[in-house]
Short mmCIF file of all heavy atoms in Angstrom, two decimals:
data_model
loop_
_atom_site.label_atom_id
_atom_site.label_comp_id
_atom_site.label_asym_id
_atom_site.label_seq_id
_atom_site.Cartn_x
_atom_site.Cartn_y
_atom_site.Cartn_z
N LEU B 205 -17.24 -25.52 0.17
CA LEU B 205 -15.92 -26.07 0.30
C LEU B 205 -15.79 -27.19 1.31
O LEU B 205 -14.72 -27.85 1.36
CB LEU B 205 -14.91 -24.93 0.69
CG LEU B 205 -14.70 -23.83 -0.34
CD1 LEU B 205 -13.92 -22.71 0.30
CD2 LEU B 205 -14.02 -24.35 -1.61
N LEU B 206 -16.80 -27.39 2.14
CA LEU B 206 -16.62 -28.32 3.25
C LEU B 206 -16.23 -29.67 2.82
O LEU B 206 -15.34 -30.28 3.36
CB LEU B 206 -17.94 -28.35 4.08
CG LEU B 206 -18.27 -27.13 4.92
CD1 LEU B 206 -19.53 -27.37 5.63
CD2 LEU B 206 -17.15 -26.83 5.86
N ALA B 207 -16.94 -30.25 1.79
CA ALA B 207 -16.53 -31.61 1.33
C ALA B 207 -15.16 -31.68 0.76
O ALA B 207 -14.47 -32.66 1.03
CB ALA B 207 -17.61 -32.02 0.28
N ARG B 208 -14.72 -30.66 0.02
CA ARG B 208 -13.44 -30.69 -0.49
C ARG B 208 -12.35 -30.58 0.58
O ARG B 208 -11.31 -31.22 0.48
CB ARG B 208 -13.23 -29.54 -1.52
CG ARG B 208 -14.29 -29.52 -2.61
CD ARG B 208 -13.94 -28.49 -3.69
NE ARG B 208 -15.12 -28.28 -4.58
CZ ARG B 208 -14.99 -27.69 -5.71
NH1 ARG B 208 -13.87 -27.32 -6.15
NH2 ARG B 208 -16.11 -27.58 -6.45
N ARG B 209 -12.62 -29.72 1.58
CA ARG B 209 -11.57 -29.55 2.62
C ARG B 209 -11.57 -30.72 3.58
O ARG B 209 -10.57 -30.98 4.27
CB ARG B 209 -11.89 -28.27 3.39
CG ARG B 209 -11.49 -27.03 2.64
CD ARG B 209 -11.76 -25.78 3.35
NE ARG B 209 -11.11 -24.67 2.73
CZ ARG B 209 -11.34 -23.41 3.05
NH1 ARG B 209 -12.25 -23.05 3.91
NH2 ARG B 209 -10.66 -22.38 2.44
N ALA B 210 -12.62 -31.55 3.59
CA ALA B 210 -12.60 -32.75 4.43
C ALA B 210 -11.62 -33.79 3.88
O ALA B 210 -11.09 -34.61 4.56
CB ALA B 210 -14.01 -33.33 4.51
N ASP B 211 -11.37 -33.66 2.60
CA ASP B 211 -10.46 -34.59 1.89
C ASP B 211 -9.12 -33.78 1.75
O ASP B 211 -8.98 -32.90 0.91
CB ASP B 211 -10.96 -34.97 0.56
CG ASP B 211 -9.97 -35.87 -0.18
OD1 ASP B 211 -8.94 -36.23 0.37
OD2 ASP B 211 -10.31 -36.23 -1.37
N SER B 212 -8.13 -34.12 2.58
CA SER B 212 -6.84 -33.30 2.54
C SER B 212 -6.10 -33.45 1.25
O SER B 212 -5.27 -32.65 0.95
CB SER B 212 -5.96 -33.76 3.73
OG SER B 212 -5.66 -35.16 3.62
N GLU B 213 -6.44 -34.45 0.47
CA GLU B 213 -5.79 -34.68 -0.82
C GLU B 213 -6.48 -33.85 -1.94
O GLU B 213 -5.92 -33.82 -3.04
CB GLU B 213 -5.76 -36.14 -1.18
CG GLU B 213 -5.07 -36.99 -0.12
CD GLU B 213 -3.56 -36.68 0.03
OE1 GLU B 213 -2.96 -36.36 -1.00
OE2 GLU B 213 -3.11 -36.62 1.18
N HIS B 214 -7.63 -33.32 -1.71
CA HIS B 214 -8.48 -32.70 -2.69
C HIS B 214 -8.17 -31.11 -2.65
O HIS B 214 -8.51 -30.52 -1.68
CB HIS B 214 -9.90 -32.97 -2.51
CG HIS B 214 -10.73 -32.66 -3.71
ND1 HIS B 214 -11.29 -33.61 -4.55
CD2 HIS B 214 -11.03 -31.42 -4.32
CE1 HIS B 214 -11.93 -33.06 -5.52
NE2 HIS B 214 -11.82 -31.70 -5.41
N MET B 215 -7.66 -30.58 -3.76
CA MET B 215 -7.38 -29.16 -3.82
C MET B 215 -8.58 -28.44 -4.48
O MET B 215 -9.18 -29.05 -5.41
CB MET B 215 -6.09 -28.86 -4.54
CG MET B 215 -4.82 -29.48 -3.90
SD MET B 215 -3.33 -29.11 -4.79
CE MET B 215 -3.13 -27.38 -4.44
N VAL B 216 -8.88 -27.26 -4.02
CA VAL B 216 -9.95 -26.43 -4.60
C VAL B 216 -9.46 -25.93 -5.94
O VAL B 216 -8.41 -25.29 -6.05
CB VAL B 216 -10.36 -25.40 -3.67
CG1 VAL B 216 -11.43 -24.46 -4.31
CG2 VAL B 216 -10.85 -25.90 -2.33
N ARG B 217 -10.22 -26.13 -6.98
CA ARG B 217 -9.80 -25.66 -8.33
C ARG B 217 -10.77 -24.51 -8.69
O ARG B 217 -12.00 -24.55 -8.54
CB ARG B 217 -9.95 -26.77 -9.41
CG ARG B 217 -9.15 -28.03 -9.09
CD ARG B 217 -9.12 -28.98 -10.19
NE ARG B 217 -8.41 -28.51 -11.33
CZ ARG B 217 -7.07 -28.67 -11.47
NH1 ARG B 217 -6.35 -29.38 -10.52
NH2 ARG B 217 -6.41 -28.25 -12.51
N ILE B 218 -10.12 -23.44 -9.14
CA ILE B 218 -10.84 -22.19 -9.52
C ILE B 218 -10.61 -21.86 -10.99
O ILE B 218 -9.47 -21.79 -11.47
CB ILE B 218 -10.42 -20.96 -8.65
CG1 ILE B 218 -10.66 -21.33 -7.20
CG2 ILE B 218 -11.05 -19.76 -9.11
CD1 ILE B 218 -10.10 -20.27 -6.25
N ASP B 219 -11.66 -21.82 -11.75
CA ASP B 219 -11.59 -21.60 -13.19
C ASP B 219 -11.42 -20.13 -13.60
O ASP B 219 -12.38 -19.35 -13.50
CB ASP B 219 -12.78 -22.15 -13.89
CG ASP B 219 -12.71 -22.12 -15.43
OD1 ASP B 219 -11.78 -21.48 -15.94
OD2 ASP B 219 -13.60 -22.62 -16.11
N LEU B 220 -10.23 -19.73 -13.91
CA LEU B 220 -9.93 -18.39 -14.39
C LEU B 220 -9.22 -18.43 -15.73
O LEU B 220 -8.21 -17.77 -15.97
CB LEU B 220 -9.11 -17.57 -13.38
CG LEU B 220 -9.74 -17.29 -12.05
CD1 LEU B 220 -8.76 -16.54 -11.16
CD2 LEU B 220 -11.00 -16.36 -12.23
N ARG B 221 -9.69 -19.32 -16.61
CA ARG B 221 -9.03 -19.65 -17.88
C ARG B 221 -9.08 -18.47 -18.89
O ARG B 221 -8.46 -18.59 -19.93
CB ARG B 221 -9.56 -20.94 -18.45
CG ARG B 221 -8.99 -22.22 -17.76
CD ARG B 221 -9.67 -23.43 -18.25
NE ARG B 221 -10.96 -23.61 -17.78
CZ ARG B 221 -11.74 -24.72 -18.03
NH1 ARG B 221 -11.27 -25.71 -18.78
NH2 ARG B 221 -12.97 -24.84 -17.52
N HIS B 222 -9.79 -17.43 -18.57
CA HIS B 222 -9.73 -16.28 -19.44
C HIS B 222 -8.51 -15.38 -19.11
O HIS B 222 -8.38 -14.34 -19.76
CB HIS B 222 -11.06 -15.50 -19.41
CG HIS B 222 -11.46 -15.07 -18.03
ND1 HIS B 222 -11.73 -15.87 -16.99
CD2 HIS B 222 -11.65 -13.80 -17.51
CE1 HIS B 222 -12.07 -15.25 -15.93
NE2 HIS B 222 -11.97 -13.94 -16.24
N PHE B 223 -7.82 -15.67 -18.06
CA PHE B 223 -6.61 -14.93 -17.74
C PHE B 223 -5.40 -15.64 -18.30
O PHE B 223 -5.26 -16.82 -18.27
CB PHE B 223 -6.42 -14.88 -16.19
CG PHE B 223 -7.43 -13.99 -15.48
CD1 PHE B 223 -7.67 -14.19 -14.14
CD2 PHE B 223 -8.19 -13.04 -16.20
CE1 PHE B 223 -8.59 -13.37 -13.47
CE2 PHE B 223 -9.14 -12.25 -15.52
CZ PHE B 223 -9.37 -12.46 -14.17
N GLU B 224 -4.43 -14.78 -18.78
CA GLU B 224 -3.20 -15.33 -19.32
C GLU B 224 -2.16 -15.55 -18.20
O GLU B 224 -2.07 -14.75 -17.27
CB GLU B 224 -2.55 -14.35 -20.32
CG GLU B 224 -3.44 -14.17 -21.58
CD GLU B 224 -3.58 -15.49 -22.43
OE1 GLU B 224 -2.64 -16.28 -22.36
OE2 GLU B 224 -4.56 -15.64 -23.05
N PRO B 225 -1.51 -16.65 -18.27
CA PRO B 225 -0.47 -16.93 -17.15
C PRO B 225 0.62 -15.91 -16.94
O PRO B 225 0.93 -15.59 -15.83
CB PRO B 225 0.20 -18.27 -17.60
CG PRO B 225 -0.82 -18.89 -18.51
CD PRO B 225 -1.56 -17.77 -19.25
N HIS B 226 1.08 -15.32 -18.03
CA HIS B 226 2.17 -14.36 -17.93
C HIS B 226 1.65 -13.03 -17.25
O HIS B 226 2.44 -12.24 -16.70
CB HIS B 226 2.84 -14.05 -19.24
CG HIS B 226 2.00 -13.16 -20.18
ND1 HIS B 226 0.93 -13.67 -20.86
CD2 HIS B 226 2.07 -11.83 -20.45
CE1 HIS B 226 0.45 -12.73 -21.62
NE2 HIS B 226 1.04 -11.53 -21.41
N VAL B 227 0.29 -12.83 -17.36
CA VAL B 227 -0.28 -11.68 -16.71
C VAL B 227 -0.58 -11.95 -15.27
O VAL B 227 -0.33 -11.14 -14.38
CB VAL B 227 -1.57 -11.24 -17.50
CG1 VAL B 227 -2.27 -10.09 -16.69
CG2 VAL B 227 -1.26 -10.82 -18.88
N PHE B 228 -1.10 -13.11 -15.00
CA PHE B 228 -1.51 -13.44 -13.61
C PHE B 228 -0.30 -13.60 -12.75
O PHE B 228 -0.46 -13.35 -11.49
CB PHE B 228 -2.25 -14.80 -13.63
CG PHE B 228 -2.99 -14.99 -12.40
CD1 PHE B 228 -4.22 -14.40 -12.08
CD2 PHE B 228 -2.49 -15.85 -11.36
CE1 PHE B 228 -4.89 -14.57 -10.89
CE2 PHE B 228 -3.18 -16.08 -10.15
CZ PHE B 228 -4.36 -15.43 -9.95
N LYS B 229 0.86 -13.84 -13.20
CA LYS B 229 2.06 -13.87 -12.35
C LYS B 229 2.36 -12.58 -11.61
O LYS B 229 2.82 -12.58 -10.53
CB LYS B 229 3.30 -14.34 -13.07
CG LYS B 229 3.91 -13.37 -14.06
CD LYS B 229 5.23 -13.93 -14.65
CE LYS B 229 5.89 -12.85 -15.50
NZ LYS B 229 7.17 -13.30 -16.07
N PHE B 230 1.99 -11.50 -12.26
CA PHE B 230 2.11 -10.11 -11.64
C PHE B 230 1.11 -10.01 -10.51
O PHE B 230 1.43 -9.48 -9.43
CB PHE B 230 1.91 -9.05 -12.60
CG PHE B 230 3.06 -8.96 -13.63
CD1 PHE B 230 2.96 -9.53 -14.85
CD2 PHE B 230 4.17 -8.20 -13.32
CE1 PHE B 230 4.02 -9.47 -15.78
CE2 PHE B 230 5.21 -8.06 -14.24
CZ PHE B 230 5.15 -8.69 -15.47
N VAL B 231 -0.11 -10.59 -10.65
CA VAL B 231 -1.16 -10.51 -9.59
C VAL B 231 -0.74 -11.34 -8.48
O VAL B 231 -0.79 -10.96 -7.29
CB VAL B 231 -2.48 -11.02 -10.16
CG1 VAL B 231 -3.54 -10.96 -9.10
CG2 VAL B 231 -2.90 -10.22 -11.42
N LEU B 232 -0.18 -12.59 -8.71
CA LEU B 232 0.28 -13.41 -7.71
C LEU B 232 1.45 -12.85 -6.90
O LEU B 232 1.47 -12.90 -5.70
CB LEU B 232 0.73 -14.76 -8.31
CG LEU B 232 0.73 -16.03 -7.38
CD1 LEU B 232 -0.74 -16.41 -7.02
CD2 LEU B 232 1.38 -17.21 -8.07
N ARG B 233 2.38 -12.19 -7.62
CA ARG B 233 3.49 -11.51 -6.95
C ARG B 233 3.00 -10.42 -6.06
O ARG B 233 3.51 -10.26 -4.93
CB ARG B 233 4.41 -10.95 -8.03
CG ARG B 233 5.69 -10.37 -7.46
CD ARG B 233 6.58 -9.91 -8.55
NE ARG B 233 7.70 -9.14 -8.07
CZ ARG B 233 8.45 -8.27 -8.87
NH1 ARG B 233 8.17 -8.12 -10.11
NH2 ARG B 233 9.44 -7.58 -8.30
N TYR B 234 1.99 -9.65 -6.52
CA TYR B 234 1.44 -8.57 -5.63
C TYR B 234 0.79 -9.14 -4.40
O TYR B 234 1.00 -8.62 -3.30
CB TYR B 234 0.47 -7.74 -6.45
CG TYR B 234 -0.35 -6.80 -5.56
CD1 TYR B 234 0.22 -5.59 -5.20
CD2 TYR B 234 -1.63 -7.10 -5.12
CE1 TYR B 234 -0.52 -4.69 -4.37
CE2 TYR B 234 -2.32 -6.29 -4.25
CZ TYR B 234 -1.77 -5.12 -3.85
OH TYR B 234 -2.40 -4.21 -2.99
N MET B 235 0.05 -10.27 -4.58
CA MET B 235 -0.69 -10.79 -3.41
C MET B 235 0.26 -11.40 -2.41
O MET B 235 0.01 -11.24 -1.17
CB MET B 235 -1.68 -11.84 -3.90
CG MET B 235 -2.88 -11.30 -4.62
SD MET B 235 -4.23 -12.44 -4.87
CE MET B 235 -3.49 -13.64 -6.00
N TYR B 236 1.35 -12.00 -2.80
CA TYR B 236 2.22 -12.68 -1.91
C TYR B 236 3.29 -11.73 -1.32
O TYR B 236 3.60 -11.80 -0.14
CB TYR B 236 2.90 -13.85 -2.49
CG TYR B 236 2.09 -15.16 -2.45
CD1 TYR B 236 1.20 -15.49 -3.47
CD2 TYR B 236 2.24 -15.99 -1.37
CE1 TYR B 236 0.49 -16.66 -3.44
CE2 TYR B 236 1.53 -17.23 -1.32
CZ TYR B 236 0.65 -17.50 -2.32
OH TYR B 236 -0.06 -18.65 -2.31
N ALA B 237 3.85 -10.89 -2.16
CA ALA B 237 5.06 -10.12 -1.71
C ALA B 237 4.70 -8.61 -1.53
O ALA B 237 5.57 -7.82 -1.24
CB ALA B 237 6.14 -10.21 -2.77
N ASP B 238 3.42 -8.24 -1.80
CA ASP B 238 3.02 -6.88 -1.65
C ASP B 238 3.89 -5.91 -2.50
O ASP B 238 4.22 -4.82 -2.11
CB ASP B 238 3.07 -6.42 -0.17
CG ASP B 238 2.22 -5.13 0.09
OD1 ASP B 238 1.28 -4.92 -0.69
OD2 ASP B 238 2.53 -4.39 1.01
N THR B 239 4.24 -6.43 -3.65
CA THR B 239 5.19 -5.66 -4.54
C THR B 239 4.35 -4.52 -5.19
O THR B 239 3.25 -4.75 -5.70
CB THR B 239 5.72 -6.54 -5.69
OG1 THR B 239 6.21 -7.74 -5.04
CG2 THR B 239 6.83 -5.84 -6.43
N GLU B 240 4.80 -3.26 -5.15
CA GLU B 240 4.10 -2.19 -5.60
C GLU B 240 4.80 -1.51 -6.81
O GLU B 240 4.79 -1.91 -7.97
CB GLU B 240 3.81 -1.25 -4.45
CG GLU B 240 2.87 -1.80 -3.41
CD GLU B 240 2.17 -0.77 -2.56
OE1 GLU B 240 2.52 0.40 -2.66
OE2 GLU B 240 1.30 -1.16 -1.74
N ALA B 241 5.43 -0.40 -6.47
CA ALA B 241 6.07 0.42 -7.59
C ALA B 241 7.07 -0.35 -8.44
O ALA B 241 7.22 -0.13 -9.59
CB ALA B 241 6.78 1.66 -6.93
N GLU B 242 7.78 -1.38 -7.83
CA GLU B 242 8.77 -2.13 -8.50
C GLU B 242 8.22 -3.31 -9.23
O GLU B 242 8.96 -4.20 -9.78
CB GLU B 242 9.87 -2.55 -7.52
CG GLU B 242 9.42 -3.51 -6.41
CD GLU B 242 8.81 -2.85 -5.22
OE1 GLU B 242 8.37 -1.72 -5.34
OE2 GLU B 242 8.84 -3.47 -4.17
N LEU B 243 6.89 -3.45 -9.30
CA LEU B 243 6.28 -4.62 -9.85
C LEU B 243 6.71 -4.92 -11.33
O LEU B 243 6.90 -6.04 -11.71
CB LEU B 243 4.73 -4.49 -9.76
CG LEU B 243 3.85 -5.75 -10.17
CD1 LEU B 243 4.16 -6.91 -9.29
CD2 LEU B 243 2.43 -5.35 -10.14
N PHE B 244 6.89 -3.87 -12.06
CA PHE B 244 7.24 -4.02 -13.53
C PHE B 244 8.71 -3.75 -13.82
O PHE B 244 9.09 -3.63 -14.98
CB PHE B 244 6.34 -3.04 -14.31
CG PHE B 244 4.87 -3.39 -14.21
CD1 PHE B 244 4.11 -2.59 -13.39
CD2 PHE B 244 4.30 -4.42 -14.95
CE1 PHE B 244 2.70 -2.89 -13.22
CE2 PHE B 244 2.90 -4.65 -14.81
CZ PHE B 244 2.11 -3.91 -13.96
N ASP B 245 9.53 -3.62 -12.76
CA ASP B 245 10.92 -3.27 -12.95
C ASP B 245 11.71 -4.21 -13.83
O ASP B 245 12.60 -3.83 -14.57
CB ASP B 245 11.63 -3.11 -11.58
CG ASP B 245 11.32 -1.84 -10.91
OD1 ASP B 245 10.49 -1.03 -11.45
OD2 ASP B 245 11.80 -1.63 -9.82
N ASP B 246 11.37 -5.53 -13.73
CA ASP B 246 12.14 -6.54 -14.49
C ASP B 246 11.58 -6.86 -15.88
O ASP B 246 12.05 -7.74 -16.54
CB ASP B 246 12.17 -7.82 -13.64
CG ASP B 246 12.91 -7.69 -12.35
OD1 ASP B 246 13.78 -6.78 -12.32
OD2 ASP B 246 12.59 -8.35 -11.38
N VAL B 247 10.53 -6.16 -16.25
CA VAL B 247 9.87 -6.41 -17.56
C VAL B 247 10.80 -5.92 -18.67
O VAL B 247 11.31 -4.80 -18.60
CB VAL B 247 8.51 -5.70 -17.62
CG1 VAL B 247 7.92 -5.83 -19.04
CG2 VAL B 247 7.58 -6.26 -16.62
N ARG B 248 10.93 -6.76 -19.65
CA ARG B 248 11.73 -6.41 -20.89
C ARG B 248 10.76 -6.60 -22.10
O ARG B 248 10.33 -7.69 -22.38
CB ARG B 248 12.91 -7.30 -21.07
CG ARG B 248 13.95 -7.13 -19.94
CD ARG B 248 14.62 -5.81 -19.96
NE ARG B 248 15.53 -5.63 -18.86
CZ ARG B 248 15.33 -5.17 -17.64
NH1 ARG B 248 14.03 -4.74 -17.36
NH2 ARG B 248 16.22 -5.09 -16.71
N SER B 249 10.40 -5.40 -22.67
CA SER B 249 9.47 -5.50 -23.85
C SER B 249 10.17 -5.04 -25.10
O SER B 249 11.17 -4.30 -25.08
CB SER B 249 8.29 -4.58 -23.57
OG SER B 249 7.52 -4.97 -22.44
N ARG B 250 9.57 -5.45 -26.23
CA ARG B 250 10.14 -5.03 -27.55
C ARG B 250 10.05 -3.60 -27.74
O ARG B 250 10.91 -2.91 -28.31
CB ARG B 250 9.44 -5.75 -28.70
CG ARG B 250 9.71 -7.22 -28.73
CD ARG B 250 8.90 -7.96 -29.84
NE ARG B 250 7.50 -7.77 -29.62
CZ ARG B 250 6.56 -8.25 -30.46
NH1 ARG B 250 6.91 -8.84 -31.60
NH2 ARG B 250 5.30 -8.10 -30.17
N ASP B 251 8.91 -3.04 -27.30
CA ASP B 251 8.72 -1.55 -27.40
C ASP B 251 7.80 -1.05 -26.34
O ASP B 251 7.21 -1.85 -25.61
CB ASP B 251 8.27 -1.18 -28.79
CG ASP B 251 6.95 -2.00 -29.21
OD1 ASP B 251 6.10 -2.21 -28.39
OD2 ASP B 251 6.95 -2.47 -30.37
N LEU B 252 7.55 0.26 -26.29
CA LEU B 252 6.72 0.81 -25.37
C LEU B 252 5.27 0.35 -25.46
O LEU B 252 4.60 0.13 -24.47
CB LEU B 252 6.76 2.40 -25.50
CG LEU B 252 5.97 3.19 -24.39
CD1 LEU B 252 6.36 2.91 -22.99
CD2 LEU B 252 6.07 4.67 -24.80
N GLU B 253 4.80 0.09 -26.66
CA GLU B 253 3.39 -0.32 -26.91
C GLU B 253 3.17 -1.65 -26.24
O GLU B 253 2.12 -1.88 -25.62
CB GLU B 253 3.08 -0.37 -28.35
CG GLU B 253 1.68 -0.73 -28.67
CD GLU B 253 1.37 -0.66 -30.10
OE1 GLU B 253 2.16 -0.05 -30.93
OE2 GLU B 253 0.30 -1.21 -30.57
N ASP B 254 4.12 -2.60 -26.35
CA ASP B 254 4.03 -3.92 -25.72
C ASP B 254 3.98 -3.76 -24.22
O ASP B 254 3.16 -4.48 -23.54
CB ASP B 254 5.18 -4.80 -26.14
CG ASP B 254 4.96 -5.48 -27.47
OD1 ASP B 254 3.83 -5.32 -28.01
OD2 ASP B 254 5.91 -6.19 -27.94
N PHE B 255 4.83 -2.91 -23.66
CA PHE B 255 4.82 -2.69 -22.25
C PHE B 255 3.47 -2.18 -21.73
O PHE B 255 2.93 -2.68 -20.70
CB PHE B 255 5.96 -1.80 -21.79
CG PHE B 255 6.01 -1.52 -20.37
CD1 PHE B 255 6.64 -2.47 -19.51
CD2 PHE B 255 5.53 -0.31 -19.82
CE1 PHE B 255 6.67 -2.21 -18.17
CE2 PHE B 255 5.61 -0.09 -18.46
CZ PHE B 255 6.13 -1.04 -17.60
N ILE B 256 2.95 -1.16 -22.43
CA ILE B 256 1.70 -0.57 -22.07
C ILE B 256 0.61 -1.61 -22.06
O ILE B 256 -0.34 -1.68 -21.23
CB ILE B 256 1.40 0.62 -22.88
CG1 ILE B 256 2.32 1.79 -22.53
CG2 ILE B 256 -0.10 1.07 -22.70
CD1 ILE B 256 2.22 3.01 -23.48
N ASP B 257 0.61 -2.51 -23.15
CA ASP B 257 -0.37 -3.50 -23.29
C ASP B 257 -0.34 -4.46 -22.04
O ASP B 257 -1.41 -4.90 -21.53
CB ASP B 257 -0.15 -4.32 -24.52
CG ASP B 257 -0.63 -3.58 -25.82
OD1 ASP B 257 -1.36 -2.61 -25.65
OD2 ASP B 257 -0.21 -3.94 -26.89
N LEU B 258 0.86 -4.80 -21.57
CA LEU B 258 1.00 -5.65 -20.45
C LEU B 258 0.41 -4.98 -19.18
O LEU B 258 -0.35 -5.65 -18.47
CB LEU B 258 2.51 -5.95 -20.24
CG LEU B 258 2.80 -6.72 -18.85
CD1 LEU B 258 2.15 -8.11 -18.85
CD2 LEU B 258 4.32 -6.82 -18.68
N VAL B 259 0.76 -3.76 -18.99
CA VAL B 259 0.23 -3.07 -17.80
C VAL B 259 -1.29 -3.01 -17.82
O VAL B 259 -1.99 -3.18 -16.84
CB VAL B 259 0.84 -1.66 -17.70
CG1 VAL B 259 0.22 -0.91 -16.48
CG2 VAL B 259 2.34 -1.70 -17.53
N LEU B 260 -1.86 -2.73 -19.02
CA LEU B 260 -3.29 -2.72 -19.18
C LEU B 260 -3.90 -4.08 -18.91
O LEU B 260 -5.01 -4.17 -18.27
CB LEU B 260 -3.66 -2.31 -20.64
CG LEU B 260 -3.51 -0.79 -20.96
CD1 LEU B 260 -3.70 -0.56 -22.45
CD2 LEU B 260 -4.55 0.02 -20.14
N ASP B 261 -3.28 -5.15 -19.31
CA ASP B 261 -3.72 -6.51 -19.04
C ASP B 261 -3.77 -6.76 -17.56
O ASP B 261 -4.75 -7.38 -17.02
CB ASP B 261 -2.88 -7.53 -19.74
CG ASP B 261 -3.07 -7.54 -21.28
OD1 ASP B 261 -4.17 -7.02 -21.72
OD2 ASP B 261 -2.22 -8.10 -22.02
N VAL B 262 -2.74 -6.36 -16.85
CA VAL B 262 -2.66 -6.56 -15.41
C VAL B 262 -3.71 -5.73 -14.75
O VAL B 262 -4.42 -6.25 -13.80
CB VAL B 262 -1.31 -6.22 -14.82
CG1 VAL B 262 -1.25 -6.30 -13.31
CG2 VAL B 262 -0.22 -7.08 -15.45
N ALA B 263 -3.96 -4.52 -15.24
CA ALA B 263 -5.06 -3.66 -14.67
C ALA B 263 -6.40 -4.28 -14.84
O ALA B 263 -7.22 -4.26 -13.95
CB ALA B 263 -4.97 -2.25 -15.27
N PHE B 264 -6.58 -4.93 -16.02
CA PHE B 264 -7.85 -5.57 -16.33
C PHE B 264 -8.14 -6.70 -15.25
O PHE B 264 -9.20 -6.82 -14.71
CB PHE B 264 -7.86 -6.14 -17.65
CG PHE B 264 -9.03 -7.02 -18.01
CD1 PHE B 264 -10.26 -6.51 -18.31
CD2 PHE B 264 -8.90 -8.39 -17.96
CE1 PHE B 264 -11.35 -7.29 -18.60
CE2 PHE B 264 -9.98 -9.22 -18.22
CZ PHE B 264 -11.21 -8.71 -18.55
N VAL B 265 -7.10 -7.55 -15.01
CA VAL B 265 -7.27 -8.59 -14.07
C VAL B 265 -7.46 -8.03 -12.63
O VAL B 265 -8.35 -8.53 -11.90
CB VAL B 265 -6.04 -9.55 -14.08
CG1 VAL B 265 -6.10 -10.63 -13.02
CG2 VAL B 265 -5.87 -10.15 -15.45
N ALA B 266 -6.69 -7.04 -12.29
CA ALA B 266 -6.87 -6.42 -10.94
C ALA B 266 -8.29 -5.88 -10.76
O ALA B 266 -8.87 -5.99 -9.71
CB ALA B 266 -5.84 -5.28 -10.79
#
Side-chain angles (χ1 to χ4, degrees):
L205 296 171
L206 288 181
R208 304 186 191 199
R209 284 179 166 169
D211 179 3
S212 60
E213 300 299 320
H214 196 108
M215 299 180 72
V216 176
R217 302 188 73 87
I218 300 174
D219 184 353
L220 293 177
R221 282 176 284 185
H222 56 297
F223 291 162
E224 295 297 330
H226 75 281
V227 174
F228 194 79
K229 74 176 184 179
F230 290 94
V231 180
L232 204 66
R233 186 180 170 198
Y234 170 81
M235 288 193 292
Y236 274 91
D238 198 28
T239 312
E240 294 200 353
E242 65 275 23
L243 187 63
F244 298 99
D245 283 359
D246 297 330
V247 174
R248 298 292 180 268
S249 298
R250 289 177 301 177
D251 52 42
L252 181 59
E253 185 176 342
D254 277 354
F255 179 79
I256 291 175
D257 285 344
L258 171 63
V259 178
L260 284 170
D261 288 340
V262 175
F264 170 80
V265 175

